[in-house]
Structures are given as structure tokens and as C-alpha cells.
Amino acid sequence: MAGADERMLLTTPFHSRVAAACETNCWGNWKGYTTPNSYIDLELEYFAIRSTTGVFDLSPMGKYRVTGQDAEAYLNRLITRDVSKIREKRVGYTVWCDDEGQVLDDGTIFHLGPNDYRICAYARAIDWLLWSAEGFDVCVEEETQNVAALAVQGPTSCAALMAMGLSGLDALKPFGIEYFDFEGEQLMVSRTGFTGDLGYELWIAPEKAEDLWDRLFAAGAPHIIKPFGMEALEMARIETGFIQAGVDFIPAEETIRQGRSRSPYELGLDWLVDLNKPVFNGRKALLDEKSRGSRYRFAILDVAGNKPANNSFILKNGKQVGVVTSAAWCPTAKTNVALAQLEMPHGAIGEELVAEIYYQRELHWTKVNAPCKVLESPVFDPPRRRQTPALPY
């Protein structure tokens, strides 16, 4: 078991390599695992994602295996989208809700084979998954510690991986899965990621983790490969408009005060809700919400100036109508971006609002009322993200 010693936090199968590369010695806690916030420099790591190849240790991500003849029916009961439409060797993004139609978490479902799926999620969910399995002929197992994972992201990521020997990877379509042999062990590669760029995720047995890291970085050296930490990932995901559980919404199971959770509609994820399915968690509540309307609307804001609008109030005619949940100055898009929750009916595309920003310099707090506008789409969405075959940058 990775990290099975006397330390408070677990370590991943890549920890020996990660620790050696982490020059800043800046660490965080990701669901009980020690993980680097940065390695060398935030901007260098960010530009590795956007200009060359960046590598992120994804191993602490919660991973759950669902097998058995009722696997599809079981998952269709849990999640909002139609699992039958996720074909074998494909990955689907989805959310799952409680009975009130409030989001418990978002994540990905990997269709690995007949009656064989893997759920990857932010929140630890094994208890809920096991409770929900009653009445279904399924086996649900947590495999977080049994699978080592790396996210390999950026324009030269495909070229770096092919240089490592993954021949034909350039033909893999977005959200596709392919299998390769790696020193006698199965290496699963999915064209997925959390950066909004061309990228892949690698999944392998923990005992092969260090060898995989070494071979990847040796093959990727001509493609300027670098590891990146949580801070660079945060900047990249905001730039591409991806929401983060625990940041842009509170999982419904973790809320204390009524009204603090959000529905898929309130997070801009209505496209993941298939009301044609006869039964799934929260369906009745979501039908009611669609009929009466939602309380909030998710919005991507273009904020004037260069002061990130973290934790800002959003105003309309001097009245608070929302809050910023994530914000960053995005170097590639050269735009000040904020993700926000706005009270309905605010948040229509093109609506002009004001972000009430407070920032500190040399112990002096300054307030700025920055004009902002609701955008139709994320500020960063490059064609290479979807292009197949992937170009050999």
C-alpha cells in the first residue's frame, strides 16, 4: 500500500520522483494524500501546460470499480446522464445528485468493458456507492490506492507519449481509451484531462509507477516536459471554465446550511441531465426545477483590469446579485476571468455587471469596482483539444 507508514498523510506511488522534483517544497493535502502545490515556479508550470508538456500526479483522485450484470442499470440509477450512451473504451463526464436534485459530485465514468466501469470523483464516495448498490447485482470496490495515474497535458503531450513508444496514440479521439503494454503491465491511456488542452491520462499498477515516470520524462525531454502542481492546474482549469467541487459548489452531502448546495442546472450542467430516463436520483426534483426555474445561474465573467476577482461580490446597479467562486488572470487568453454564481434572472450572455474586488498591497487594502461582462463560452478552447489525429507539435 502506497504510503502505509507512520505519516499523517499518504504518499502516491510517484512520490519518490515527485519529491525529488519539488524544489519549492510547497505541499498540500489532497483527500489525505500529500501533493505538491508547485514544483519550481507557477508561471513556468502553467506555460508547460499551454506551450509544451506538463505532468500532474493524479493518483489521489478517488477511483471506484463497478462490475456485475447490473452495472449499467446501477449507474443509470445514480447519475443524471444515460450510461448506455457511453460505449466501451469511452469516458463520460457526469454528475450525481441526492433526492433533492442537488449535486453530490461531478466526475468521469470509464466504460472499460462489458459490465465493467470505473468512476473517478473528487469526493470520497465509497459508503454512498455501497448503500446505493442494494438490490443490484453489482460489485463496488474502491481502487484509489490500487491505480497510479498521471495527467500528461499540453500541445506536445501526444508527441512525448509517442516518443515513449505509444505508437498510434495520435489516432485516439477525445474521451477515448486505449491500452498499451508497458514492461509487461497493462497501461491504460485515456484522452482526458482537467486543463482544457490537448492531453491524456495514464493509468497503471502502482509497482510500475516510478518506471513510467522515468521513461516518460526521458522521452519527453526534447518536448520540454515539466511536472506541474495544484496551483498551475487551478489556473488552467479556470481559464477553460471547468468547475471544481468544494470550490465552485459544495457537495450536497457536505452542506450545513439549507440552500447552500446547487443543482446541475444552477452549475451550467443541464446538458448532463437526461430527463428521458425513467428513474434516477433527483429526477423528480429536477423536473420540478425545470418547470419553475432555478435559483441561480453559473456564469463566466470577463473582468476589467488585472486584479483577480477572488471571493468578490457581483453587483448590479449597486445591489449584490452574486459571488465569484473562482478567479484568475489567465496568461494565454490575457484575460481576467471569474467563475460566478448569480441570482436569477441575472447572468444572461452579454449582461454587464460590476465585481467588487478587494486586494492588499503592503498591508494596505484597496477596493476596486471592476466592470465585467457575462461571456458566452470559456476564454480558452483551442482546436487542438479535439483535433484527431493529434498534431505532432
Side-chain angles (χ1 to χ4, degrees):
M1 181 184 297
D5 55 25
E6 300 302 319
R7 288 172 290 189
M8 290 287 289
L9 294 179
L10 297 172
T11 55
T12 77
F14 299 103
H15 185 72
S16 64
R17 304 310 193 257
V18 168
C22 187
E23 297 183 19
T24 62
N25 199 30
C26 181
W27 299 88
N29 179 351
W30 180 5
K31 292 298 180 180
Y33 284 82
T34 185
T35 189
N37 291 324
S38 64
Y39 284 85
I40 301 173
D41 176 83
L42 169 59
E43 290 191 5
L44 289 177
E45 294 168 37
Y46 164 83
F47 278 110
I49 302 170
R50 291 292 183 244
S51 302
T52 59
T53 298
V55 179
F56 180 81
D57 184 357
L58 194 64
S59 302
M61 174 72 69
K63 298 177 280 290
Y64 308 93
R65 196 68 169 264
V66 179
T67 57
Q69 66 178 14
D70 288 345
E72 181 184 300
Y74 163 74
L75 290 171
N76 254 333
R77 177 68 172 80
L78 291 180
I79 71 171
T80 57
R81 69 180 296 172
D82 188 348
V83 178
S84 68
K85 295 180 180 179
I86 304 173
R87 304 187 306 276
E88 286 187 32
K89 296 179 69 174
R90 297 289 297 169
V91 184
Y93 174 56
T94 190
V95 295
W96 41 97
C97 300
D98 63 11
D99 289 341
E100 303 304 316
Q102 302 298 288
V103 174
L104 289 165
D105 202 359
D106 67 335
T108 47
I109 292 184
F110 291 68
H111 192 170
L112 303 178
N115 302 315
D116 189 0
Y117 297 84
R118 175 182 292 154
I119 302 173
C120 290
Y122 162 82
R124 293 292 181 251
I126 188 62
D127 290 343
W128 180 72
L129 291 171
L130 290 172
W131 296 333
S132 301
E134 185 174 353
F136 292 95
D137 184 5
V138 293
C139 177
V140 181
E141 299 176 289
E142 178 160 2
E143 56 178 11
T144 302
Q145 296 190 41
N146 301 328
V147 181
L150 291 177
V152 184
Q153 307 283 301
T156 66
S157 58
C158 182
L161 289 167
M162 291 181 69
M164 195 181 77
L166 305 188
S167 178
L169 184 66
D170 57 333
L172 185 64
K173 295 179 179 180
F175 293 97
I177 296 171
E178 195 52 80
Y179 297 94
F180 299 88
D181 175 77
F182 181 83
E183 299 181 358
E185 190 72 41
Q186 184 184 79
L187 169 65
M188 187 179 85
V189 180
S190 56
R191 189 169 168 180
T192 49
F194 199 50
T195 66
D197 215 311
L198 173 65
Y200 303 84
E201 291 172 340
L202 280 54
W203 314 81
I204 200 165
E207 54 268 23
K208 291 293 185 181
E210 292 175 344
D211 291 340
L212 178 62
W213 179 284
D214 293 343
R215 286 220 1 221
L216 173 61
F217 275 80
H223 304 282
I224 318 180
I225 191 169
K226 298 182 186 301
F228 66 92
M230 280 287 192
E231 293 175 354
L233 178 65
E234 178 75 356
M235 186 182 293
R237 70 98 186 163
I238 292 172
E239 190 172 46
T240 201
F242 288 164
I243 62 172
Q244 173 67 57
V247 179
D248 299 298
F249 70 94
I250 304 301
E253 197 173 37
E254 298 179 10
T255 57
I256 298 173
R257 297 169 181 82
Q258 190 172 7
R260 300 297 172 87
S261 58
R262 296 291 183 264
S263 75
Y265 297 126
E266 293 169 336
L267 295 175
L269 300 176
D270 48 296
W271 59 279
L272 292 175
V273 179
D274 188 346
L275 294 174
N276 293 320
K277 293 200 305 180
V279 179
F280 63 88
N281 285 2
R283 182 177 184 274
K284 184 178 184 300
L286 292 172
L287 275 169
D288 291 343
E289 181 180 344
K290 189 172 184 180
S291 174
R292 72 172 185 274
S294 301
R295 304 168 298 165
Y296 299 95
R297 177 152 47 191
F298 171 79
I300 303 174
L301 305 177
D302 183 359
V303 183
N306 62 1
K307 300 294 185 295
N310 304 79
N311 306 312
S312 297
F313 292 126
I314 299 299
L315 311 177
K316 181 73 173 185
N317 298 325
K319 178 185 176 183
Q320 181 187 338
V321 296
V323 294
V324 169
T325 56
S326 294
W329 169 259
C330 300
T332 300
K334 292 183 171 50
T335 303
N336 200 14
V337 176
L339 310 184
Q341 285 283 310
L342 304 176
E343 298 173 7
M344 292 292 285
H346 300 285
I349 294 170
E351 183 177 7
E352 295 183 353
L353 302 160
V354 171
E356 186 178 84
I357 301 173
Y358 294 84
Y359 67 95
Q360 186 191 69
R361 294 290 185 273
E362 298 178 336
L363 301 181
H364 180 77
W365 282 95
T366 300
K367 172 185 171 182
V368 173
N369 283 339
C372 53
K373 180 181 290 189
V374 179
L375 299 176
E376 183 176 5
S377 58
V379 297
F380 184 79
D381 187 18
R384 63 175 178 254
R385 176 181 172 187
R386 289 170 292 274
Q387 192 164 356
T388 306
L391 294 179
Y393 289 97

